[in-house]
Structures are given as structure tokens and as C-alpha cells.
Amino acid sequence: MEFLEKKCLHNNDDDGPRWNDLLVVAGDISHDMSTFQRTLRVLLELKCEILFVVGNHEAWLAPKSYKEHRNSLDKLALVESACRRMGVHTETTLIGAKSSHPLWVVPLQSWYDGSLAIEKLEKYCRDFAKWPWTDFLRCRWPEDRFPRIAKSDPNARIPLGLNEFFLECNERTLEPVLEDAATSVLTVSHFLPNCQSLPDWKDLNSPVFLDDEWLDHGAAPTSAKFAKVAGSSSLDSQIRSLLNPSRQRLIHKFGHSHRPKDFVYDSVRYIHNPLGKPREREMRLISPNVDFQLVWDTRTGEVEGEEIVRYWEQYGGGADALKKRLVEHRKKRKKWARKQLSR
């Protein structure tokens, strides 16, 4: 689950909402509806407004739910309905309309289409058709609308046309923002919008992926395969359709990769502030003290942050420290396993 805190002022207009904070959650709360709704209730106890964008985990089906949900589109519709019922925003929202720095917050649905795959890393993806990516096992899409790409294709098993379907759904979401060319915008998606947002893209100015230098962590096959299911360059095109010389700022918040990012690329700021897993925080792949990130205040505008391109290298000590922590983690796991067996 990914968090992003958005501050806004009390709106004293009688015809507008009185908000203190907007908390943006960019997907992957849970595949289980009970856990999903329970988590939203906990977040609502923070006494702030919440905006949610679905992730791939919300599309997962359990075998026992096949009768309840014909496919993953049905499941996502159920998630959307639960959000509306609980008062969680899933639509484009304008905050601070009469403040000095108003902001459009625009949720964008998407999927992955293989367009972020790195061609020179295909040598690590020869077994991609057999890769046990959970989406391939637990998502079910109407095959008459979204047939799976043939197993002989480099992007085998990715549903054909699914990302285009979601991007088309976004067109209505974008309409009010396109009509307002001046107000700043925060777009939100679960999936990654470009290669620069991939976990291992290290130099924002490099036009190519430098695998000999950047894949120094021992997990090259995983990085290569993840790029195929990371997101879509078409999503970035949709985000960038909002760029306008009159617009003060365009910021995009994404999730999915579990690797923190905060950088500006070609006039757009990209942010990923993941909660991640306990193991990832222990390994310093993510901040061990992860917290909400404030990015906008309707009194003063954008709140800048430190640039993050590859967190574990910048703040976690680099490859040697990462490998050392991995060894220590494995020792702890073995010790724990032995202790469980001895009971």
C-alpha cells in the first residue's frame, strides 16, 4: 500500500467542503474485501478525506469467490462501490477552489502492457511465460474482450487491450482538468508511467538502460521481468496531456514498485512513497520510518522533497550494505525456522 498526504486549508465557503487533509492511497490495500474495508475504516479514523485508486491486488480473485465475481472487472466494480459507500473519493476532485493555490487531484486507472520492458534485458525473460506473477494466476478478465498474448510472444500472458480499456475510462475523468488550463494538478495511478520510474533506472538523463552499471544488486532477472508488468508509457502520455504553459505544476503519484521515488523529469514531478513490507523496511529498500509525505498546501503550493532515484543506494548504504543485510536476514529466518521446529 502506498501513502501520500495532501494538506489543504479549511474551506470556509458555505458551498464547499471543510477539509483539513486529503490522504491519497495509490492502490494495493488488499485483495480481500473484508481487509480492504477494515483498512479504509482505520484510515477514516484519521479524520481526513481519502482518495483511492485501485491496484492490481484489488483485482485478485480467490477460487471461492468465482461465483461471487465472474471476473476481475466485477471485483473492481465491487471495490469502487465500497469506496463510494464509505465516502472515499475515486473521482476527480478540486481542493481549495478559493484558496491561493488550488489543486486538481485526478485518479487514473491503468494496467501494464509491456511497453516499459527493456529490450536489452530480454535475455533474462526467456521464461517469462512461466513466471509465477500472481496477477497471471489470480486475475480473470473477459477473454472475449481481453485475450491473453500468446505464450510465444515476449509479453506472454499480459491481457491484450486491458490497459487501453482503462485509459479510455480515464477520458471522462480528465475532462474538467483539460477545461481548466491554469490550476495545478496531482494525478494518481497505481502503475508506473515511464521507464525513469522503474526501480533500477538510475540516471534520469540517460536515454538507455545501462545494465552493466545499474544491475549491481544480484536480482537482474526479477528486475527485467518486473519491467514488463510495471506499467505503461501510454499512461505517461495521458498524464502529459495535462501539461500547459499556463499550469503552475503537474505532479504524478504512483505505486506498485515498492521502491521510493521523488524526481522531476521533463517538467513533471514523479513521486512514489511506499509503505512496503516489513522485510523491505528492514533491508532499507524502503525507509524504516516511512510516513505520510506532504506535497501540497493550498496556502503556499507545492512542498518540495529531496530527490530520490534509487533509495537503497542513496540512503541505504549501497549494494554492499544491501547484500550484508540480506545475509543477516537469512540467518534470522533460519534461526526462527529452527526455533519453530523445536517446539
Side-chain angles (χ1 to χ4, degrees):
M1 181 165 60
E2 296 79 23
F3 290 122
L4 184 69
E5 187 177 30
K6 251 290 295 101
K7 292 277 187 181
C8 59
L9 290 173
H10 280 294
N11 188 332
N12 293 320
D13 305 314
D14 292 336
D15 59 346
R18 293 174 175 270
W19 291 0
N20 285 321
D21 305 280
L22 175 65
L23 176 65
V24 175
V25 184
D28 278 7
I29 288 181
S30 178
H31 65 280
D32 178 73
M33 286 302 299
S34 297
T35 303
F36 176 79
Q37 293 175 86
R38 187 167 63 250
T39 303
L40 286 183
R41 283 194 289 270
V42 170
L43 294 177
L44 287 167
E45 290 176 2
L46 297 173
K47 305 301 182 184
C48 64
E49 299 290 320
I50 296 173
L51 183 139
F52 178 73
V53 179
V54 296
N56 51 316
H57 287 206
E58 279 75 39
W60 291 357
L61 302 176
K64 63 181 180 180
S65 69
Y66 286 168
K67 292 182 180 179
E68 183 181 358
H69 316 299
R70 291 177 302 169
N71 54 57
S72 291
L73 287 183
D74 285 351
K75 174 73 179 305
L76 293 180
L78 185 66
V79 169
E80 185 93 5
S81 177
C83 287
R84 286 197 303 269
R85 189 171 60 253
M86 299 177 72
V88 173
H89 300 275
T90 60
E91 300 286 341
T92 296
T93 303
L94 177 64
I95 59 174
K98 296 188 178 181
S99 300
S100 55
H101 293 81
L103 183 76
W104 284 107
V105 184
V106 185
L108 297 176
Q109 298 186 63
S110 60
W111 203 254
Y112 43 80
D113 57 8
S115 59
L116 302 188
I118 300 167
E119 187 175 354
K120 61 166 62 179
L121 301 185
E122 281 297 321
K123 59 187 176 183
Y124 297 114
C125 299
R126 296 188 182 110
D127 60 344
F128 182 73
K130 299 179 181 179
W131 188 40
W133 180 243
T134 306
D135 290 0
F136 298 156
L137 305 173
R138 299 193 63 176
C139 291
R140 296 175 65 184
W141 307 104
E143 293 202 10
D144 57 331
R145 298 175 64 184
F146 313 114
R148 290 190 178 188
I149 298 175
K151 289 187 176 181
S152 58
D153 190 279
N155 293 328
R157 303 172 77 188
I158 294 176
L160 193 62
L162 183 60
N163 183 58
E164 289 78 5
F165 166 78
F166 284 124
L167 296 185
E168 187 175 339
C169 292
N170 293 337
E171 291 178 3
R172 181 180 60 84
T173 302
L174 293 167
E175 284 177 2
V177 187
L178 289 169
E179 293 171 1
D180 176 5
T183 303
S184 295
V185 180
L186 170 69
T187 53
V188 187
S189 70
H190 177 68
F191 293 100
L192 282 61
N194 52 34
C195 289
Q196 287 73 23
S197 56
L198 288 169
D200 288 315
W201 199 281
K202 188 174 174 179
D203 183 354
L204 300 175
N205 297 314
S206 176
V208 296
F209 189 87
L210 304 178
D211 52 313
D212 290 340
E213 299 178 25
W214 298 351
L215 294 179
D216 55 352
H217 47 59
T222 301
S223 293
K225 293 182 182 72
F226 177 75
K228 289 177 176 286
V229 297
S232 169
S233 58
S234 297
L235 172 62
D236 205 34
S237 297
Q238 196 166 65
I239 295 164
R240 290 178 173 277
S241 71
L242 301 177
L243 276 175
N244 189 299
S246 303
R247 201 180 300 283
Q248 180 186 356
R249 197 63 165 130
L250 177 57
I251 304 172
H252 182 70
K253 154 68 178 155
F254 63 95
H256 193 46
S257 70
H258 294 219
R259 298 294 178 267
K261 295 277 186 176
D262 194 337
F263 62 86
V264 176
Y265 176 71
D266 197 14
S267 302
V268 178
R269 181 181 175 189
Y270 297 92
I271 302 173
H272 180 24
N273 183 42
L275 174 63
K277 301 176 182 178
R279 176 180 178 272
E280 291 170 320
R281 296 193 290 274
E282 180 186 341
M283 299 291 292
R284 300 299 190 271
L285 294 167
I286 294 171
S287 170
N289 303 309
V290 64
D291 201 351
F292 301 115
Q293 180 178 3
L294 176 62
V295 299
W296 197 270
D297 190 312
T298 54
R299 297 167 298 185
T300 57
E302 181 181 8
V303 178
E304 296 184 358
E306 293 185 28
E307 183 180 69
I308 301 173
V309 177
R310 197 152 70 158
Y311 179 89
W312 61 268
E313 187 171 67
Q314 293 173 253
Y315 302 99
D320 291 340
L322 179 62
K323 291 172 183 176
K324 182 179 179 180
R325 284 193 292 270
L326 181 60
V327 171
E328 292 172 352
H329 177 78
R330 287 171 176 166
K331 287 180 180 178
K332 288 181 182 178
R333 290 292 297 175
K334 288 181 180 179
K335 184 177 180 180
W336 177 86
R338 286 195 297 268
K339 192 174 181 179
Q340 296 301 307
L341 290 172
S342 65
R343 286 184 175 180

